[in-house]
């Protein structure tokens, strides 16, 4: 489990272990530090994980933010926070963990996306949404970051050689009662409790990600899309069925632009994927610097 608040995570894990031991089960979970608001932290995490030289079978990029109603904010790396946490940092993490994912092949990268990508728009000349062409809202920040993720994942899916055995998938969890609504007015948060039939619990919301991570048909489905040169990566809906991503996500040319811009922003060379697949080292502009 990669988390930004390790102390809290260790307490949580201890509680889980205590609960499970009462029913005779052992739980093998570890928490490692990862702050997606810092690309240095992403590199440190990936280096620490890769140094273990163990196979990684599934990477689930679940963490995300939707700072509803909040003003525009930027990370210390200089990127709009939704774009960094929801797209740039998971993209860097996925690429840097490829050595471990290849060791664990057949393996999977699951990106927890959102149906809100349908209303997103990505301008690769203005990934920070500061041009002022439209007034920034957190909705624009969130939906654009989710669309950027679908586009980036689509190119990753296309460029990943079939022999590498790494499937990449986006999923939508549905509308889920989590802390994502913590910034909403209290009255709306209270209303969440009144409409349980329309809103999933956190457990129910995890279904599509777990399905994409474990179902044996998912890699076959990804291979089929690849063989047919479908322009978008696999997208699994909240009900664990494949759905079509937004029309804009089908624009291969702009997905290619998002791919290139993303590599530039996360400090990787344009041939990073090819090199990582060949087992070569790549230099990232972020992370600990050698003297
Ligand atoms: N809930 C929904 O209705 C819904 C709908 C569509 C898509 N999604 C997507 O589902 C995913 C999970 O969201 P959720 O609903 O479970 O929201 P949540 O309750 O707010 O959980 C978000 C998680 O992301 C972590 N996180 C936030 N910023 C981070 C950072 N800088 N570094 C590391 N971790 C960070 C949080 O860690 P802390 O505990 O430290 O804050 C938290 O564990 C997100 O990608 C979201 O966009 C949710």
């Amino acid at each position: 489990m990669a988390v930004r608040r390790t102390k809290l995570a260790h307490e949580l894990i201890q509680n889980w272990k205590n609960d499970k031991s009462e029913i005779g089960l052992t739980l093998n979970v570890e928490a490692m530090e990862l702050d997606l608001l810092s690309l240095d932290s992403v590199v440190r995490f990936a280096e620490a994980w890769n140094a273990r030289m163990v196979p990684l079978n599934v990477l689930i990029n679940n963490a995300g933010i939707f700072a509803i109603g909040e003003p525009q904010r930027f990370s210390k790396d200089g990127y709009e926070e939704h774009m960094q946490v929801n797209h740039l940092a998971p993209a860097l993490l996925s690429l840097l963990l490829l050595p471990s994912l290849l060791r664990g092949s057949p393996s999977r990268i699951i990106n927890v996306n959102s149906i809100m990508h349908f209303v997103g728009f990505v301008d690769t000349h203005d990934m920070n949404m500061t041009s002022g062409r439209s007034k920034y809202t957190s909705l624009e920040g969130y939906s654009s970051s989710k669309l950027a993720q679908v586009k980036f994942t689509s190119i990753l899916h296309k460029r990943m050689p079939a022999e590498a055995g790494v499937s990449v998938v986006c999923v939508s969890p549905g509308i889920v009662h989590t802390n994502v609504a913590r910034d909403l007015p209290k009255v709306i948060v209270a209303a969440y409790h009144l409409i349980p039939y329309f809103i999933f619990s956190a457990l129910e919301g995890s279904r599509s990600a777990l399905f994409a991570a474990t179902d044996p048909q998912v890699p076959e489905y990804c291979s089929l899309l690849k063989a047919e040169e479908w322009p978008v990566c696999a997208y699994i809906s909240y009900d664990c069925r494949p759905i079509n991503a937004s029309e804009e996500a089908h624009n291969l040319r702009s997905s290619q632009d998002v791919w290139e811009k993303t590599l530039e922003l996360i400090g990787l060379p344009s041939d990073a994927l090819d090199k990582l697949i060949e087992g070569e080292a790549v230099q990232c502009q972020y992370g600990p610097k050698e003297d």
Side-chain angles (χ1 to χ4, degrees):
M1 214 163 60
V3 296
R4 60 179 163 174
R5 294 184 287 169
T6 43
K7 187 166 173 284
L8 211 62
H10 287 134
E11 285 167 20
L12 194 65
I13 290 170
Q14 198 48 55
N15 290 343
W16 288 343
K17 284 188 172 168
N18 295 344
D19 290 351
K20 295 287 172 217
S21 68
E22 277 173 24
I23 50 171
L25 287 175
T26 46
L27 192 63
N28 186 8
V29 191
E30 187 191 339
M32 284 172 69
E33 189 177 324
L34 172 65
D35 181 0
L36 299 172
L37 273 172
S38 157
L39 295 179
D40 282 344
S41 170
V42 174
V43 176
R44 271 197 305 275
F45 174 89
E47 286 183 352
W49 182 273
N50 287 336
R52 296 180 174 199
M53 304 296 278
V54 291
L56 176 60
N57 303 110
V58 181
L59 167 66
I60 302 182
N61 287 309
N62 172 65
I65 54 167
F66 188 1
I68 302 170
E70 296 282 307
Q72 191 170 24
R73 281 196 291 259
F74 300 90
S75 69
K76 72 175 174 58
D77 299 316
Y79 302 131
E80 193 277 334
E81 286 192 357
H82 291 95
M83 194 55 84
Q84 170 141 352
V85 173
N86 299 349
H87 166 53
L88 296 173
L92 179 59
L93 184 66
S94 301
L95 291 178
L96 293 183
L97 286 177
L98 268 177
S100 297
L101 286 157
L102 290 168
R103 206 173 286 123
S105 169
S107 53
R108 308 180 192 194
I109 300 172
I110 313 302
N111 291 324
V112 180
N113 197 263
S114 166
I115 222 65
M116 296 283 280
H117 82 271
F118 271 80
V119 294
F121 176 75
V122 188
D123 177 354
T124 49
H125 299 292
D126 184 27
M127 295 286 276
N128 269 349
M129 294 161 269
T130 48
S131 73
R133 237 170 302 166
S134 61
K135 190 175 168 339
Y136 172 86
T137 60
S138 51
L139 176 65
E140 184 190 2
Y142 181 76
S143 55
S144 303
S145 67
K146 293 294 185 184
L147 178 62
Q149 183 174 59
V150 180
K151 285 174 168 288
F152 181 86
T153 312
S154 298
I155 302 296
L156 181 58
H157 157 80
K158 280 187 91 60
R159 291 193 167 202
M160 187 73 74
E163 317 81 71
V166 182
S167 303
V168 289
V169 183
C170 283
V171 305
S172 160
I175 304 174
V176 192
H177 186 208
T178 61
N179 283 332
V180 81
R182 62 164 82 82
D183 296 318
L184 285 172
K186 287 202 168 42
V187 61
I188 300 182
V189 175
Y192 260 61
H193 294 280
L194 302 176
I195 40 176
Y197 295 108
F198 301 103
I199 297 186
F200 293 145
S201 66
L203 201 61
E204 291 165 334
S206 67
R207 283 181 300 203
S208 55
L210 294 179
F211 174 83
T214 57
D215 190 88
Q217 287 181 24
V218 170
E220 286 170 30
Y221 177 56
C222 292
S223 304
L224 188 72
L225 295 182
K226 206 177 193 40
E228 290 182 357
E229 302 206 3
W230 189 245
V232 196
C233 61
Y235 201 111
I236 306 289
S237 181
Y238 67 90
D239 59 0
C240 303
R241 291 175 199 278
I243 53 161
N244 208 348
S246 71
E247 199 182 326
E248 178 50 28
H250 286 243
N251 184 336
L252 202 50
R253 177 126 187 235
S254 87
S255 295
Q256 183 60 37
D257 291 344
V258 170
W259 170 265
E260 286 165 16
K261 190 70 190 179
T262 299
L263 290 179
E264 182 192 317
L265 297 180
I266 60 181
L268 287 179
S270 55
D271 59 354
L273 178 62
D274 301 332
K275 282 189 164 165
L276 287 161
I277 286 170
E278 289 302 316
E280 292 176 37
V282 294
Q283 284 303 317
C284 180
Q285 180 192 316
Y286 295 94
K289 298 283 169 289
E290 284 170 26
D291 295 329

